[in-house]
């Protein structure tokens, strides 16, 4: 356990170093979609119309995918392909993979919840209810973490089979889950606290920018994890 936590800390630190060394390149390569992502988040929070909220969410999601693809390329490729033009069909394909990964995770969570409810029967209580929510969520995050290795693989133009990509994280699934979700969650605490307060436009914009930086860090975490796990099999 201590060895695993130590490895997770090392990967998280390595991702921070990557962010610091490549932040200029990432900013230049993702400038307009990053701005669009922040604006969509701000505008989506200010509209009460459900249609507008959905529209800004979809547009922000595509901008997020563009940022993710460029960031993966800048971290994983030895040449500056991050500045190369990204075709919209690649962005849409990446978005569909993200949607599929999280849909599978959601289905896993539902399946675990149903099984646990059947086992527990009519038992109730705070601890039992917390267990019912926590275990399915952890199972879903585990599945999402392993499937998410497909994202950087596709972002850099590789087409390795899904089964092969998932197999790279064999015996490292829990480590990958902790690395991909715990550091961004901890870093998001200040942003969550800010969002609970009455904010001016400047404060709201600052919160959105902090969220963007955490998003970039989480993408770099995935890229660094992918590079470490795929190296024995594939040299990017």
């Amino acid at each position: 356990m201590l060895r695993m936590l130590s490895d997770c800390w090392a990967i998280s630190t390595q991702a921070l170093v990557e962010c610091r060394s490549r932040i200029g390149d990432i900013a230049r390569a993702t400038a307009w979609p990053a701005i669009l992502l922040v604006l969509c988040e701000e505008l989506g929070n200010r509209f009460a119309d459900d249609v507008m909220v959905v529209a800004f969410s979809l547009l922000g999601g595509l901008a997020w995918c563009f940022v993710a693809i460029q960031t993966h390329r800048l971290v994983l490729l030895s040449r500056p392909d991050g500045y190369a033009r990204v075709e919209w069909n690649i962005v849409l394909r990446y978005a569909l993979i993200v949607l599929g990964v999280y849909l599978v995770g959601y289905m896993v969570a539902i399946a675990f919840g149903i099984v646990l409810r059947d086992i527990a029967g009519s038992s109730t209580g705070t601890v039992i209810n917390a267990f019912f929510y926590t275990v399915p969520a952890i199972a879903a995050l585990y599945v999402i973490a392993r499937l998410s290795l497909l994202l950087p693989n596709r972002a850099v133009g590789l087409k390795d089979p899904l089964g092969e990509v998932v197999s790279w994280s064999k015996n490292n699934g829990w480590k990958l889950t902790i690395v991909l979700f715990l550091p961004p969650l901890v870093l998001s605490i200040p942003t969550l606290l800010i969002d609970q307060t009455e904010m001016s436009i400047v404060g709201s914009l600052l919160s959105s920018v902090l969220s963007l930086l955490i998003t970039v860090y989480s993408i770099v975490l995935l890229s660094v994890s992918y590079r470490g796990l795929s190296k024995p099999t594939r040299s990017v």
Side-chain angles (χ1 to χ4, degrees), residues 26-40 59-71 86 88 91 212:
I26 293 174
R28 286 189 291 271
T30 64
W32 73 262
I35 294 172
L36 180 61
L37 178 57
V38 172
L39 288 177
C40 285
L59 186 58
L62 291 177
W64 180 91
C65 290
F66 191 102
V67 171
I69 292 170
Q70 294 289 63
T71 303
V86 176
W88 275 108
V91 176
L212 174 62

Side-chain angles (χ1 to χ4, degrees), residues 203-220:
S204 180
L205 186 61
L206 175 62
S207 176
S208 296
V209 171
L210 288 175
S211 297
L212 174 62
L213 293 175
I214 295 170
T215 296
V216 171
Y217 174 62
S218 66
I219 296 168
V220 174

Side-chain angles (χ1 to χ4, degrees), residues 11 149 176 179-180 220-230:
I11 296 171
L149 292 177
L176 182 64
V179 166
L180 294 186
V220 174
L221 269 175
L222 177 56
S223 298
V224 171
S225 300
Y226 171 86
R227 183 171 60 196
L229 291 171
S230 66

Side-chain angles (χ1 to χ4, degrees), residues 183-219:
L185 177 62
V186 172
L187 292 175
S188 297
I189 292 176
T191 304
L192 294 174
L193 294 176
I194 293 174
D195 290 341
Q196 297 304 312
T197 62
E198 292 291 334
M199 292 186 296
S200 63
I201 295 178
V202 175
S204 180
L205 186 61
L206 175 62
S207 176
S208 296
V209 171
L210 288 175
S211 297
L212 174 62
L213 293 175
I214 295 170
T215 296
V216 171
Y217 174 62
S218 66
I219 296 168

